[in-house]
Amino acid sequence: MASLSPDAPCSCDCFVSVPPASAIPAVIFAKNSDRPRDEVQEVVFVPAGTHTPGSRLQCTYIEVEQVLKTHAVILSRPSWLWGAEMGANEHGVCIGNEAVWTKEPLREGEALLGMDLLRLALERSTSAQEALHVITGLLERYGQGGSCLEDPAPFCYHNTFLLADRTEAWVLETAGRLWAAQRIQEGARNISNQLTIGTDISAQHPELQTYAQAQGWWDGQGTFDFAQVFSLTQQPVRMEAAKARFLAGRELLRQEQGGITAEVMMGILRDKESGICMDSGGFRTTASMVSVLPQDPTQPCVHFLTATPDPSRSVFKPFIFGVGVAQAPQVLSPTFGAQDPVRTLPRFQTQVDRRHILYRGHQAALGLMESDQDREQQLRQKQWDLEQEGLKAVRGLLASECAPPFQELGSLFQAFVKKESQAYV
């Protein structure tokens, strides 16, 4: 199965801060999802569920065995597929994925997308380490593959993942069914569309090194360096651009060591000079997410999601799992059932309008910003005020012993989505 041309500007960036890098006793996670500029990303809430033994689950392309119990999740996903680019579950586990190309060839045919693996892990895990085991187990059984774009021309890749919970984070990097993982128990870390795990490997596929030797990629001498052994010898332009973003992101984290907050992560995601906030060659940042995962289990995890493109001109809105949480209709895309181009074969021969209400309003607002300077200032001020309102509410919640129980704050995200939608009318 083919991929886009080697120069296609495909990208994403994930970040995590683990105390003492964080300014507060919390793990802080962040991701920019960079996708085709007209692709719509929706924010979907899926409640916890129980399932019949032996039942099957339809993912984007293939079915897998369902488990007996799944956890509640909040997902930011391209609206045509089943999985997600990033998300969190009710236990404070967050995951973001990235495209990567290695010496291991891409498989023919359809399997699980990296985005499917991400959602499956969130639905089935209560910690970052358990989520890693879910992904690697599914990789071994089903493999990864299939087109990752809503387009007749297939675009395929392998995946890296950043997984975080209240206490630690893991980087998981894959090449087909093979993988290596690195545990992060303190400090800051980022990933950007390339292999980054060298010799500091915390866990790995049992056949990783023997396979590399059999392929002639490693001579078996010295310490095994996963990135060095599995990275492409001749890096395409897209990988060199990813390296520049990775280095820029690492430097931005270094500059804020010990003082990283949700606002700092939002600022990094909005950084255009580095390319982290992307708008180039038909690709752009289509959605963003920042999560605060307090180490104190009595405090709520808070997940800020945009549901709209370009974080520099979007609002991060707070989501908390709790009583009253439900789907915000303004960020849910229309569905097309059996007639959806992803369901009819051959796939993606037609296009449908997947824009949700907030996306439409946001795009209209961006058009006004670009054509009317006065309106731009007014709209930017509305966005700023709304985001600050959300940040202030969250700061008060995390700092005060008199704040309402976080179980009662399930409707917070719906309220902020409604306010933003009204601001664009």
Side-chain angles (χ1 to χ4, degrees):
M1 193 172 276
S3 68
L4 285 183
S5 70
D7 297 341
C10 315
S11 61
C12 282
D13 297 279
C14 290
F15 304 86
V16 71
S17 173
V18 181
S22 306
I24 59 174
V27 174
I28 303 175
F29 168 93
K31 179 182 176 181
N32 267 356
S33 171
D34 300 337
R35 303 277 302 173
R37 64 175 305 105
D38 294 326
E39 184 179 77
V40 178
Q41 203 151 143
E42 60 182 351
V43 173
V44 180
F45 169 71
V46 183
T50 55
H51 309 281
T52 304
S55 62
R56 306 285 293 176
L57 173 66
Q58 178 65 52
C59 300
T60 301
Y61 297 127
I62 70 167
E63 286 187 349
V64 300
E65 287 188 8
Q66 181 60 286
V67 294
L68 296 180
K69 180 180 179 181
T70 51
H71 308 300
V73 295
I74 187 73
L75 306 170
S76 185
R77 71 179 189 187
S79 56
W80 61 271
L81 52 75
W82 181 84
E85 276 276 297
M86 50 201 171
N89 71 18
E90 60 184 303
H91 300 288
V93 180
C94 295
I95 310 177
N97 82 306
E98 309 254 343
V100 70
W101 294 265
T102 71
K103 291 176 183 174
E104 179 67 9
L106 299 169
R107 65 171 284 170
E108 296 288 334
E110 295 176 339
L112 290 173
L113 297 179
M115 293 171 279
D116 292 337
L117 291 165
L118 185 155
R119 175 173 173 178
L120 288 164
L122 288 174
E123 290 186 340
R124 300 177 179 197
S125 65
T126 58
S127 71
Q129 188 171 24
E130 185 180 10
L132 184 149
H133 293 153
V134 170
I135 291 174
T136 56
L138 290 166
L139 266 182
E140 188 68 25
R141 182 166 185 181
Y142 298 102
Q144 57 181 319
S147 184
C148 301
L149 293 187
E150 188 181 16
D151 192 277
F155 172 48
C156 309
Y157 49 75
H158 294 154
N159 290 266
T160 65
F161 303 87
L162 184 59
L163 311 94
D165 60 27
R166 289 178 181 268
T167 61
E168 64 180 10
W170 287 79
V171 174
L172 170 63
E173 300 182 342
T174 74
R177 283 183 165 86
L178 303 172
W179 56 272
Q182 183 183 76
R183 191 177 196 175
I184 298 105
Q185 294 180 292
E186 62 177 22
R189 185 72 154 83
N190 63 309
I191 58 174
S192 299
N193 301 111
Q194 59 184 311
L195 299 181
T196 61
I197 298 175
T199 60
D200 186 9
I201 299 173
S202 306
Q204 64 183 45
H205 189 283
E207 299 173 8
L208 182 67
Q209 295 183 21
T210 55
Y211 182 87
Q213 281 188 276
Q215 297 299 310
W217 299 339
W218 184 51
D219 61 9
Q221 302 299 310
T223 305
F224 180 78
D225 186 313
F226 177 68
Q228 185 178 75
V229 171
F230 275 85
S231 293
L232 292 166
T233 305
Q234 294 294 323
Q235 296 281 11
V237 171
R238 66 183 174 212
M239 300 293 277
E240 288 301 320
K243 182 178 181 180
R245 288 195 338 274
F246 170 74
L247 293 174
R250 186 172 67 180
E251 176 59 19
L252 289 169
L253 288 174
R254 188 197 66 78
Q255 293 172 8
E256 299 289 348
Q257 282 273 1
I260 297 175
T261 61
E263 295 96 316
V264 167
M265 285 296 199
M266 291 173 189
I268 291 174
L269 297 184
R270 286 167 166 152
D271 192 281
K272 288 184 176 291
E273 183 178 356
S274 63
I276 291 170
C277 182
M278 187 186 186
D279 191 349
S280 173
F283 271 59
R284 69 172 170 181
T285 299
T286 56
S288 304
M289 172 179 167
V290 173
S291 293
V292 179
L293 315 174
Q295 292 179 321
D296 181 350
T298 67
Q299 292 188 322
C301 295
V302 185
H303 313 283
F304 295 89
L305 303 109
T306 63
T308 54
D310 188 352
S312 71
R313 298 190 291 178
S314 287
V315 178
F316 284 91
K317 299 166 285 292
F319 175 93
I320 295 174
F321 288 94
V323 175
V325 65
Q327 177 64 50
Q330 299 92 338
V331 293
L332 188 66
S333 292
T335 57
F336 301 91
Q339 303 308 310
D340 195 301
V342 72
R343 292 278 164 248
T344 57
L345 298 177
R347 302 190 199 277
F348 309 125
Q349 300 303 301
T350 59
Q351 293 185 332
V352 291
D353 187 352
R354 300 187 188 276
R355 294 175 297 169
H356 51 69
I357 293 171
L358 182 62
Y359 185 97
R360 289 174 181 270
H362 182 262
Q363 292 303 101
L366 292 190
L368 286 173
M369 287 181 181
E370 292 167 1
S371 62
D372 186 327
Q373 193 171 27
D374 290 337
R375 286 288 286 154
E376 178 185 15
Q377 292 177 349
Q378 293 172 8
L379 286 168
R380 280 186 177 274
Q381 188 63 50
K382 285 184 178 181
Q383 289 181 325
W384 170 261
D385 290 344
L386 185 59
E387 185 170 289
Q388 290 304 306
E389 182 183 346
L391 286 166
K392 182 179 179 181
V394 168
R395 281 194 295 267
L397 177 65
L398 296 178
S400 174
E401 297 180 359
C402 300
F406 66 84
Q407 291 86 352
E408 299 177 8
L409 298 172
S411 60
L412 194 64
F413 182 72
Q414 297 144 269
F416 275 89
V417 168
K418 185 176 181 180
K419 287 181 180 180
E420 185 183 4
S421 298
Q422 292 172 341
Y424 297 144
V425 175

